[in-house]
Amino acid sequence: DNIMRLRNLVTTVGLVIVGFISFVVFATPASASLTVCNRAGSKAFVAISYYSGDSVWSKGWLQLNPGSCGTAFAGRVSNSDIGVYAETFTGVVESGDVRRCVIWVQDQSSWTIRNADNPARCRGRGREMKGFRVFRTNDSPDYTYEVFD
């Protein structure tokens, strides 16, 4: 009788542990990302730059209507240096001193460039080195960046 109680107790404790582990694993968000929101008065065209492995990448164009947000990068961005360059129909609204290659939206609406910090990779039709504003995402796996006029 005591052996049966012990067996039931062990089974119950095991099920509680499995249930707790399942809750922790499945309650954790499955993805993280860099989100960009357009707070400017007109449509924004956003390019980002980031490090992956030992390469610098640039990626564009995230096209955002005024007041909308979109995912610029899917994946953990904690403690990352991210660059942003953005233009609207009224001009450049976000730029900085860190030069990265982009492809004009008129030539290619979606692109990714490896070694985007190398001007030699920026030769060809519609390619141009632009100044990106670089910021650090800190500890959060998700980060939201806002573009203003």
Side-chain angles (χ1 to χ4, degrees), residues 30-149:
S31 64
S33 63
L34 170 66
T35 301
V36 178
C37 296
N38 180 8
R39 304 296 181 225
S42 64
K43 186 173 186 173
F45 301 86
V46 180
I48 64 164
S49 73
Y50 56 94
Y51 294 89
S52 180
D54 53 355
S55 296
V56 176
W57 297 78
S58 63
K59 179 179 175 181
W61 292 100
L62 181 61
Q63 299 182 35
L64 299 170
N65 289 320
S68 69
C69 299
T71 301
F73 181 83
R76 291 186 66 83
V77 294
S78 56
N79 294 312
S80 298
D81 292 321
I82 305 286
V84 173
Y85 174 82
E87 293 184 6
T88 65
F89 290 124
T90 58
V92 175
V93 293
E94 196 68 52
S95 66
D97 297 330
V98 178
R99 310 288 286 169
R100 301 285 186 254
C101 187
V102 303
I103 300 174
W104 299 338
V105 70
Q106 299 89 335
D107 289 330
Q108 197 168 337
S109 62
S110 180
W111 47 266
T112 303
I113 301 171
R114 184 178 184 190
N115 298 323
D117 56 336
N118 182 349
R121 297 277 298 146
C122 207
R123 295 189 182 125
R125 180 187 161 124
R127 293 180 176 232
E128 183 177 357
M129 296 296 283
K130 294 286 190 177
F132 282 67
R133 180 181 177 271
V134 175
F135 61 94
R136 187 134 185 101
T137 59
N138 299 320
D139 294 332
S140 176
D142 293 295
Y143 196 90
T144 300
Y145 189 89
E146 296 180 316
V147 174
F148 293 91
D149 281 329

